[in-house]
DNA sequence: GTTTATGTTGCTCACCTGAGCATGAGCAGC
DNA sequence: GCTGCTCATGCTCAGGTGAGCAACATAAAC
């Protein structure tokens, strides 16, 4: 009986969804009343036999967003669908697009926006809509200019976002990590750097990404850290970095000594920010995404479907 | 504008399908009238952004069935969905199930049913419902008893289907292919064999499968042909076999000499049958399925989604 | 400036659909 | 055998939704 009903509900679903017949017509075909058909259809939906997917680069997964808001303390969550996606490349592009859209729709429009840098943020900057704000002040919140050609993109990211928002970019003229603590203290004390750091601390919103702890990290690429140093950090429990600071799965700094030589905003400042938007996408960033959300480093998470599910713990 | 509308239609679709909101509610959220929302939704559907899949082992693809009936001359077509399928194994099992269901629902119920043998038909026999007919006569239409242990299943297939239909099985006591033409003529002339062949020729319905032309063929497994012989047949244009007879993509016999040594129903008899049900599933059988349908060897095709699309020529 | 062709918008209406409710069959316990 | 319970069934009714239509805006052509 239950078996017959299941089969019937599938037949009904075929006629309803694939042939666009009305429940009444289906009733005639299957010799059922239209109410029975309605109930079978409801049953098919409830049993999960009907899968509705929105296949579009800019499609979002609202149900996952809701669950994220409810289960974590996030103010907001943006989850892009990964239906029909081919690789991590596209996933990150979609997520960057979504982050750019979110930034443009953010209310109140931030007067001062603190941003980090990296491949993700750079892509976000490319997608930000022209005229997303009027007179915004974009401030870098972690060091990274110079050192090699990659650094150019860090500045470009800030400048592009600022320009598209009819504003100005304030760059942080400092390396991300210094070799000696004294140098770091000295550079932070320098007026030009201190001023930028102070401005960053007062930003009305933050937009940043996170890096996974492996040899593909942007910090390795940029020459700030070696693959060996990363391996050592991983041994100590590091899952990734936020604004250049490596954290473990609970959100704590992994290596205080290294951290003391890192120039930029403190994680506590991010934790206390009213609006901190984290953009994290890709299968390699599940762990760091979890750590960021779990330790309250952001109030808003922009991510992809799989990463969101990992944060929710649905991948077990 | 078209771009804005597209994005809007995606947002609307998300709210409609994922959040189960009414079009009116969506209108309020997106600041649109409910008619505009309705139109956006229709547009999203028409553009193919909404993909509705019925995920169930026994789900069928009615739209493909309809296209098959229209584009080819088939009386009927059964296409099982391959949504969420893991391998060819499961695909064939689903298709066999569907074929069994079709047989049970066939009207008028066949008095005499001619069947071939093979892995596919054997699986169909397992799925046929108890009591699918009352007093059916199941006749083998191509040779294959004895020769090795595999042959046992050929008899079992016929017996099982007959038994479940409260009837008797009539086996064809002959090998599939004989080495010498004289032996074949002699065996065909034998009264016990001739009687079965005559009975098979008068069957009110036929149920058969088809084999691909490669070394995995059942005819190779059974020892009737060697891998080299198959290779030679392929060189001559063979795409597969139906009731032991190898055909090319246009449905013509590839090797008349070999064919003359093959015992069983003639292809022309199948072509003139009022009801000839072909059960063909799996990625390796696309070519033979195409040949069977294209040359009118069956009036009904039971297959899987991918094979059906291949028959329709949608894989180009 | 006027006209015409085209596409968009908001509406009416008829139909489709889901929720809630009354009915009656089937069944276990007394 | 009767009672009370559960559950499937068919119905009423209150929305929800799509087709068709008239009004309107827009833009190209005259």
């Amino acid at each position: 009986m239950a078996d017959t009903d299941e089969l019937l509900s599938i037949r009904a679903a075929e006629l309803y969804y694939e042939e666009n017949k009305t429940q009444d017509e289906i009733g005639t075909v299957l010799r059922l009343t239209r109410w029975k058909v309605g109930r079978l259809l409801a049953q098919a939906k409830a049993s999960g036999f009907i899968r509705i997917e929105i296949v579009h680069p800019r499609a979002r997964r609202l149900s996952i967003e809701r669950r994220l808001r409810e289960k974590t303390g996030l103010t907001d969550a943006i989850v892009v669908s990964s239906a029909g996606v081919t690789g991590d490349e596209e996933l990150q592009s979609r997520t960057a697009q979504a982050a750019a859209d979110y930034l443009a729709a953010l209310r109140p429009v931030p007067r001062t926006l603190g941003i980090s840098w990296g491949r993700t943020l750079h892509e976000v900057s490319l997608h930000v809509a022209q005229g997303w704000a009027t007179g915004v002040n974009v401030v870098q919140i972690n060091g990274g200019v110079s050192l090699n050609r990659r650094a150019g993109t860090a500045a470009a990211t800030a400048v592009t976002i600022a320009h598209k928002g009819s504003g100005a970019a304030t760059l942080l003229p400092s390396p991300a990590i210094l070799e000696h603590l004294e140098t770091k203290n000295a550079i932070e004390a320098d007026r030009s750097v201190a001023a930028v750091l102070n401005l960053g601390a007062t930003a009305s919103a933050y937009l940043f990404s996170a890096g996974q702890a492996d040899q593909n990290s942007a910090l390795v690429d940029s020459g700030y850290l070696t693959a060996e140093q990363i391996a050592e950090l991983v041994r100590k429990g590091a899952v990734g970095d936020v604004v250049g600071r490596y954290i473990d799965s609970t959100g704590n700094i992994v290596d205080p000594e290294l951290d003391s030589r890192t120039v930029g905003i403190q994680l506590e400042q991010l934790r206390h920010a009213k609006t901190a938007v984290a953009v994290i996408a890709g299968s390699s960033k599940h762990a760091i995404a979890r750590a960021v959300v779990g330790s309250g480093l952001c109030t808003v998470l922009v991510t992809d479907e799989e990463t969101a599910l990992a944060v929710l713990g649905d991948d077990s």
Side-chain angles (χ1 to χ4, degrees), chain A residues 213 217 219 225 230 233 238 240-241 244-247 252-254 258:
Chain A
S217 160
L219 287 163
L225 292 173
I230 298 284
L233 286 167
D241 79 283
R245 303 179 188 277
Y246 278 86
I247 59 174
N252 289 319
I253 294 294
V254 168
L258 172 67

Side-chain angles (χ1 to χ4, degrees), chain A residues 60-277:
Chain A
R60 282 163 47 189
R61 298 300 317 273
L62 301 185
S63 58
I64 302 179
E65 294 180 359
R66 182 153 31 78
R67 278 164 58 208
L68 266 179
R69 281 196 304 269
E70 283 165 7
K71 273 191 73 169
T72 69
L74 291 175
T75 307
D76 211 344
I78 309 295
V79 178
V80 302
S81 160
S82 55
V85 102
T86 51
D88 258 25
E89 197 77 12
E90 194 181 346
L91 217 55
Q92 292 178 336
S93 170
R94 287 187 177 192
T95 309
Q97 171 71 259
D101 291 348
Y102 186 81
L103 186 62
L106 193 59
R107 293 293 177 278
V109 177
R111 287 182 312 101
T112 306
L113 175 71
I115 67 163
S116 71
W117 56 270
R119 202 159 42 75
T120 306
L121 260 285
H122 181 62
E123 186 143 18
V124 172
S125 76
L126 298 177
H127 284 120
V128 168
Q130 194 62 248
W132 70 273
T134 44
V136 72
N137 201 353
V138 177
V139 193
Q140 286 188 331
I141 55 176
N142 61 330
V145 268
S146 76
L147 221 63
N148 75 357
R149 82 196 123 76
R150 233 194 126 86
T153 61
T157 301
V159 170
T160 303
I161 296 180
H163 187 68
K164 286 185 174 172
S166 317
T170 307
L171 305 181
L172 183 60
S174 161
I177 302 172
L178 291 146
E179 284 185 66
H180 302 289
L181 182 55
E182 304 86 62
T183 327
K184 186 260 189 179
N185 287 338
I187 207 167
E188 265 193 1
D190 186 90
R191 204 186 310 159
S192 64
V193 171
V196 176
L197 286 173
N198 284 335
L199 186 59
T202 65
S204 44
Y206 296 96
L207 179 69
F208 60 97
S209 185
Q212 72 273 29
D214 67 21
Q215 54 274 40
N216 298 319
S217 160
L219 287 163
V220 175
D221 260 26
S222 306
Y224 289 116
L225 292 173
T226 64
E228 290 75 41
Q229 287 176 293
I230 298 284
E232 173 63 22
L233 286 167
V234 169
R235 222 169 300 131
K236 289 182 183 166
V239 293
D241 79 283
V242 175
V243 291
R245 303 179 188 277
Y246 278 86
I247 59 174
D248 61 21
S249 61
T250 63
N252 289 319
I253 294 294
V254 168
D255 182 340
E257 191 279 325
L258 172 67
D259 199 67
S260 70
R261 291 189 281 111
T262 306
V263 177
I265 197 170
Q266 297 296 321
L267 296 188
E268 282 315 308
Q269 291 182 280
L270 278 181
R271 288 207 173 88
H272 293 128
K274 227 178 74 206
T275 306
V277 182

